[in-house]
Amino acid sequence: EGLAGGLIAALLASLAIVFLSGRSLLRFEIADAVLLGLGLGSLGIWGDLAKSAAKRDAHVKDSGQWIPGIGGALDLVDSLLFAAPAFYFYGLARFGGSAWMPR
């Protein structure tokens, strides 16, 4: 349920960003939004799994204790481990590095 909910939320957020930007901020099309929503959502899950595997190998339950209830700073950014570089390289490949330039 969490996997499906996360992917649906990522897809809806990606589509909302494309529609709400009014094509003035981003040069992403609907196909980009679908691909990035599902792809980056999946990579976010893989980032969480990779972080969990590393913590398991290190025999560590939490990667930090500054904020109660939060497993540490790494738990806050684990989904970005794979998704952020993928988004960056997608922008370079798709737009030649000018993905954020207005049309």
Side-chain angles (χ1 to χ4, degrees), residues 4-16 33-34 36-42:
L7 288 176
I8 290 170
L11 176 61
L12 292 176
S14 181
L15 289 169
V34 171
L36 287 171
L38 295 176
L40 296 179
S42 298

Side-chain angles (χ1 to χ4, degrees), residues 5-46:
L7 288 176
I8 290 170
L11 176 61
L12 292 176
S14 181
L15 289 169
I17 289 170
V18 168
F19 283 117
L20 295 176
S21 70
R23 305 263 185 231
S24 62
L25 179 63
L26 301 172
R27 291 177 38 191
F28 292 112
E29 303 292 333
I30 293 174
D32 294 315
V34 171
L35 181 64
L36 287 171
L38 295 176
L40 296 179
S42 298
L43 287 173
I45 293 166
W46 281 103

Side-chain angles (χ1 to χ4, degrees), residues 43-52 55 63 72-84:
L43 287 173
I45 293 166
W46 281 103
D48 180 58
L49 292 173
K51 182 262 316 169
S52 296
K55 284 183 9 180
S63 57
L74 192 56
D75 285 331
L76 298 175
V77 297
D78 57 3
S79 62
L80 296 175
L81 292 175
F82 297 153

Side-chain angles (χ1 to χ4, degrees), residues 86-98:
F87 179 70
Y88 174 76
F89 287 115
Y90 181 84
L92 284 179
R94 174 80 166 85
F95 303 106
S98 63

